[in-house]
Amino acid sequence: QVQLVESGGGSEQPGGSLRLSCAASGDIHNGYIMGWYRQAPGSKREFIASITGDGVVSLARCVEGRFTISKDNAKETIYLQQNRLKPEDTAIYLCTATYTFYSFWGQGTQFTVAS
């Protein structure tokens, strides 16, 4: 069993920056791929970024060049650094951890980009 808790949500102006955090606990290990999805109002959930236990990173094209995913293995925490924010980044951001047929999700954190 893995528990995921997101934090760092809130609001920011266009062009600003924010960092989201996701702390994992329970039976988490290096075989998990951890990452972020988001779901905007009226839209389907979409992939944003992921990072493997070996540090291999994947980013969605819509955020490439603006967002960065990183992790702190000692703290069992991943981060999503968001730069040059746009209004279309407004969404609920959800943390996920996946290992073979196991998938765990956090409750999500709301993030709004507006002037």
Side-chain angles (χ1 to χ4, degrees), residues 30-35 50-58 69 71 73:
N30 207 42
Y32 278 90
I33 298 174
M34 298 187 66
S50 67
I51 185 166
T52 71
D54 294 327
V56 178
V57 170
S58 294
I69 187 171
K71 63 183 177 70
N73 288 327

Side-chain angles (χ1 to χ4, degrees), residues 1 15 18-19 27 29 34 46 67-68 74 83 87 93 97-98 101 103 112:
Q1 186 176 355
L18 193 73
R19 188 178 74 165
D27 194 22
H29 58 76
M34 298 187 66
E46 64 176 342
F67 289 14
T68 302
N83 302 125
Y93 285 75
T98 300
F101 50 87
S103 293
T112 301

Side-chain angles (χ1 to χ4, degrees), residues 77-92:
T77 300
I78 64 167
Y79 305 92
L80 185 67
Q81 179 67 48
Q82 303 166 284
N83 302 125
R84 292 182 283 121
L85 289 162
K86 302 176 180 180
E88 51 263 44
D89 294 323
T90 296
I92 296 174

Side-chain angles (χ1 to χ4, degrees), residues 9-54:
S11 63
E12 185 57 79
Q13 294 184 344
S17 298
L18 193 73
R19 188 178 74 165
L20 304 180
S21 300
C22 174
S25 61
D27 194 22
I28 191 75
H29 58 76
N30 207 42
Y32 278 90
I33 298 174
M34 298 187 66
W36 296 91
Y37 284 71
R38 71 184 183 189
Q39 187 165 6
S43 300
K44 296 181 179 179
R45 185 177 298 175
E46 64 176 342
F47 168 80
I48 297 300
S50 67
I51 185 166
T52 71
D54 294 327

